[in-house]
Amino acid sequence: MYRIGIIGCGQIAKVRHAPEYARNPFCQLTAFYDGDAARSQAMANQYGGASFDTMEALLKSGVDAVSVCVPNRLHAECTVAALKAGCHVLCEKPMAVDLDSCRQMVAAADAAGKILMIGHNQRYTRTHQKAKELVASGEIGRVLGFRTVFGHSGPESWCGAANPWFYDRSQAHLGAMADLGVHKLDLIRYLTGQEIVQVTAGVATVDKTYADHTPVEVDDNAVFLLRLAGGAIGTVQASWTFYGGEDNSTVLYGSAGSLHLYEDPANSLVVRRRDGEALRWNLDEIATNDGQNAGDRAPAGVVDAFVQAIETGEPSVSSGRETLRSMEAVFAAERAAREGRTLDLGAG
Ligand SMILES: NC(=O)c1ccc[n+]([C@@H]2O[C@H](COP(=O)([O-])OP(=O)(O)OC[C@H]3O[C@@H](n4cnc5c(N)ncnc54)[C@H](O)[C@@H]3O)[C@@H](O)[C@H]2O)c1
């Protein structure tokens, strides 16, 4: 039985990490820490185990593994501390707020000989997994282009009220670009099995404001234009201002047809062949903010994959090392947007 600690007992810990450890037969939740002691105590009351006043005390309590669910800026610090203390770590996305920190996290995992996994849950949906298989088997031929979108009405819809840290550059570093864009940029690498070799990006703060009506200091909309190693180009759109409803869809356009993911409400995966034939699967529903908050969804698969990685010693498909390449592209996109130019990344 693995003894599990949770560092940061906010929304993602509440709706995904804690319930998913609780239902995993190899785990026991034993330790909780949050800057707001009422939150860690509430989780200890619900799941058993103890609430600790500091992260250091939690790490000394005999935990085998921890989830790091604090605001973005603290991911690297907490992850490295936990790895040094001999714990396996499942850290939420975005992995960290700069590339050096991401590299330090991977180096710390290597030095400790422990698992480091990042919470890129989009890699674990059945629809995305099936799509990856279809692309690899040549179902749509050579990938020529793509568009992928992740938009909802903003962190308020996730947390129930305006959540100040998402809009605070010192805590979040980036806005929709890192909150949602990182998922889809990582997903394109996963689905196509290709590295991103070139990136152009635009970001804007078009609508979100603080209570005094001044614009928030992070982006609420971002668009990336990516070129893949195989030559395909496509876009990633990330937005916190989709007030008409969430969009979490992806389309890959290939030489033999196209593949549509979470676009048709009745079929999570549709292949439209060049000859006119269509194939349809309804494998799952992508988790929406509303659905997760209502607690009426299937496990994201992230915690189970983490436990399996610990058990087997084999890295998961969203290991820290694998995520480094996605983060390299995110930070290149940040720079491309800031400098108004196109940047090349190392061909993988
Ligand atoms: N994988 C996903 O789809 C997904 C979805 C939502 C959030 N996330 C990520 O999860 C992380 C947490 O997001 P959230 O939505 O749960 O936010 P949240 O604000 O609900 O929770 C963060 C928690 O961290 C605590 N905290 C803040 N500073 C702290 C400190 N110095 N020490 C200890 N605790 C501290 C807060 O009190 C809060 O309880 C973020 O990095 C976010 O990007 C991932």
Side-chain angles (χ1 to χ4, degrees):
M1 191 66 91
Y2 298 112
R3 293 164 60 87
I4 306 291
I6 295 195
I7 298 170
C9 304
Q11 195 65 5
I12 192 72
K14 234 186 268 174
V15 302
R16 288 210 202 130
H17 292 253
E20 294 189 19
Y21 283 117
R23 63 196 279 178
N24 185 298
F26 304 106
C27 296
Q28 184 187 3
L29 283 160
T30 61
F32 303 92
Y33 166 63
D34 193 287
D36 177 346
R39 293 189 174 189
S40 45
Q41 189 58 59
M43 240 177 222
N45 293 346
Q46 182 174 356
Y47 291 101
S51 166
F52 291 87
D53 292 338
T54 64
M55 176 174 71
E56 292 67 29
L58 177 148
L59 293 175
K60 283 187 188 147
S61 71
V63 285
D64 302 299
V66 296
S67 272
V68 170
C69 302
V70 284
N72 308 347
R73 175 73 64 186
L74 298 165
H75 287 183
E77 180 187 325
C78 296
T79 295
V80 170
L83 288 164
K84 282 189 174 161
C87 296
H88 302 284
V89 178
L90 169 54
C91 175
E92 265 306 338
K93 49 50 63 178
M95 185 173 180
V97 296
D98 59 66
L99 197 54
D100 270 356
S101 298
C102 296
R103 291 186 176 127
Q104 283 163 23
M105 292 160 76
V106 172
D110 288 349
K114 298 291 173 186
I115 296 292
L116 169 61
M117 177 171 154
I118 309 301
H120 276 291
N121 50 296
Q122 297 244 341
R123 288 183 176 233
Y124 298 92
T125 78
R126 285 166 62 209
T127 295
H128 287 153
Q129 288 174 339
K130 177 72 177 172
K132 181 178 176 61
E133 274 172 39
L134 291 172
V135 172
S137 70
E139 185 64 46
I140 61 163
R142 188 161 74 89
V143 177
L144 306 174
F146 55 87
R147 68 165 178 75
T148 183
V149 181
F150 196 170
H152 57 54
S153 57
E156 314 85 276
S157 65
W158 166 245
C159 297
N163 191 343
W165 79 260
F166 279 98
Y167 292 149
D168 176 353
R169 183 175 288 283
S170 72
Q171 292 290 303
H173 184 61
L174 295 167
M177 186 176 202
D179 186 36
L180 306 180
V182 68
H183 272 299
K184 292 302 191 180
L185 187 152
D186 181 72
L187 178 68
I188 290 298
R189 292 185 53 238
Y190 173 70
L191 292 175
T192 63
Q194 294 183 34
E195 291 303 344
I196 296 161
V197 295
Q198 197 176 64
V199 54
T200 311
V203 297
T205 308
V206 293
D207 190 61
K208 295 295 183 192
T209 61
Y210 300 113
D212 67 0
H213 303 296
T214 56
V216 299
E217 54 188 358
V218 294
D219 57 286
D220 60 20
N221 277 270
V223 178
F224 310 146
L225 171 60
L226 307 178
R227 186 182 299 275
L228 303 183
I233 62 168
T235 57
V236 176
Q237 181 178 14
S239 177
W240 279 343
T241 62
F242 281 14
Y243 298 122
E246 187 159 334
D247 186 349
N248 211 325
S249 64
T250 299
V251 184
L252 299 183
Y253 301 93
S255 55
S258 55
L259 193 144
H260 303 251
L261 308 171
Y262 300 116
E263 206 185 31
D264 169 359
N267 299 287
S268 62
L269 197 168
V270 178
V271 171
R272 298 189 199 286
R273 289 188 173 147
R274 196 169 179 164
D275 62 12
E277 193 185 344
L279 308 174
R280 296 181 177 83
W281 289 264
N282 195 13
L283 299 173
D284 57 10
E285 283 177 23
I286 193 107
T288 63
N289 281 357
D290 288 349
Q292 292 183 80
N293 287 341
D296 59 355
R297 36 152 223 102
V302 172
V303 161
D304 290 346
F306 180 49
V307 175
Q308 192 183 348
I310 295 171
E311 192 75 8
T312 62
E314 293 295 320
S316 70
V317 295
S318 61
S319 68
R321 187 175 300 287
E322 170 64 17
T323 305
L324 265 185
R325 295 299 297 260
S326 298
M327 297 312 291
E328 204 180 325
V330 170
F331 295 123
E334 179 191 7
R335 193 170 144 216
R338 193 174 55 240
E339 298 178 2
R341 63 196 186 100
T342 299
L343 293 175
D344 291 331
L345 283 83

